[in-house]
Amino acid sequence: MASTQMGRAPRRQRLNVAYGSWDLIWSHVHRVLVVNLGMAVTNLPLLAALQLTHQPWRHPLVFGVLLLVLPGPSVAAAYAYLDASSADADTPAPVRLFAQAYRRLYRRAVAVSAPFVLLVIAAVADVVTLRTSALGAAVVPTAVVVAVVAAAAWPVALAHVAGGGAVERRLFLLAPYAAVRHALLTLMNLVLAVVSLLLVNQAPLMGLAVLPGCALFVVWRNCRVMLSLADRPRPAGPAVREGMRGES
């Protein structure tokens, strides 16, 4: 009896996933697909222009205008869609939420994007123009830092607008401050953006079908954390607490 029991092969345990887990997985996949579709449709002129030329820097006016009016609103709409769909993670959010957010946030997103995009364009132009000149050693490092900080602060500012925040001068100081203060989250966002762009460049159809929604979900969460920590008031120091006690 014991020998027959020892001779039997052990039973394989089957992977049993609850019904609600499949709903949750499909909801996340649905959100990613909607964001990917929305990003592709709203940035279609920019994607078409990139297909026509492999040297966009030779057409700064055309690509400068496209960068000013297209990516910012689409990213803000993606943030707003992810925020609205996160209220009920088990139910797929309808596609119309993305379109409604795009129409509602378009003007504010362009107004927020313009300063950061112009800073990046100006800094990159300075690097390209002055890299071989006598002033290059002094100007190029500063221009690179400005471009990186502006590129890192751009999604933070859009997350503020997508969350219902107002477009005010304080935002253009808060977003760079949050990006510099939380360097690890900023580095993660930049690495995700660079890797996504490289993969999309190698396989455009597959990359656009998979990567934007996944990357933007992580960047959106990071930007929300950065904004919440930047808005959090700092605790009063010992001298301030002593002064408050004296006044009381």
Side-chain angles (χ1 to χ4, degrees), residues 131-219:
R131 69 182 188 278
T132 57
S133 65
L135 296 176
V139 176
V140 169
T142 304
V144 171
V145 171
V146 170
V148 171
V149 172
W154 175 68
V156 179
L158 289 175
H160 175 80
V161 172
V167 180
E168 52 188 0
R169 285 184 293 180
R170 176 176 173 269
L171 175 60
F172 299 104
L173 298 177
L174 175 64
Y177 169 74
V180 173
R181 182 182 178 187
H182 306 288
L184 290 178
L185 295 177
T186 298
L187 180 61
M188 184 186 299
N189 291 345
L190 292 175
V191 170
L192 277 175
V194 171
V195 171
S196 299
L197 289 175
L198 291 176
L199 293 177
V200 169
N201 184 52
Q202 295 297 321
L205 293 179
M206 184 63 67
L208 290 175
V210 177
L211 293 175
C214 299
L216 282 176
F217 181 80
V218 178
V219 173

Side-chain angles (χ1 to χ4, degrees), residues 45-235:
L46 178 60
L47 297 175
L50 289 173
Q51 290 297 318
L52 295 176
T53 177
H54 297 288
Q55 297 178 339
W57 55 87
R58 293 184 178 273
H59 311 279
L61 181 59
V62 175
F63 283 94
V65 172
L66 292 176
L67 289 174
L68 284 174
V69 301
L70 292 181
S74 61
V75 172
Y79 287 164
Y81 174 81
L82 292 173
D83 192 12
S85 60
S86 63
D88 188 2
D90 295 333
T91 304
V95 182
R96 68 174 181 272
L97 289 180
F98 187 97
Q100 292 171 355
Y102 187 83
R103 290 195 300 267
R104 185 179 73 253
L105 299 171
Y106 185 85
R107 292 184 178 180
R108 284 188 289 166
V110 170
V112 167
S113 296
F116 297 106
V117 173
L118 290 175
L119 270 177
V120 173
I121 293 174
V124 171
D126 289 342
V127 171
V128 174
T129 304
L130 301 175
R131 69 182 188 278
T132 57
S133 65
L135 296 176
V139 176
V140 169
T142 304
V144 171
V145 171
V146 170
V148 171
V149 172
W154 175 68
V156 179
L158 289 175
H160 175 80
V161 172
V167 180
E168 52 188 0
R169 285 184 293 180
R170 176 176 173 269
L171 175 60
F172 299 104
L173 298 177
L174 175 64
Y177 169 74
V180 173
R181 182 182 178 187
H182 306 288
L184 290 178
L185 295 177
T186 298
L187 180 61
M188 184 186 299
N189 291 345
L190 292 175
V191 170
L192 277 175
V194 171
V195 171
S196 299
L197 289 175
L198 291 176
L199 293 177
V200 169
N201 184 52
Q202 295 297 321
L205 293 179
M206 184 63 67
L208 290 175
V210 177
L211 293 175
C214 299
L216 282 176
F217 181 80
V218 178
V219 173
W220 167 65
R221 287 296 184 94
N222 290 343
C223 291
R224 289 184 61 182
V225 172
M226 294 161 69
L227 285 170
S228 63
L229 294 177
D231 285 332
R232 183 182 301 172
R234 293 185 177 181

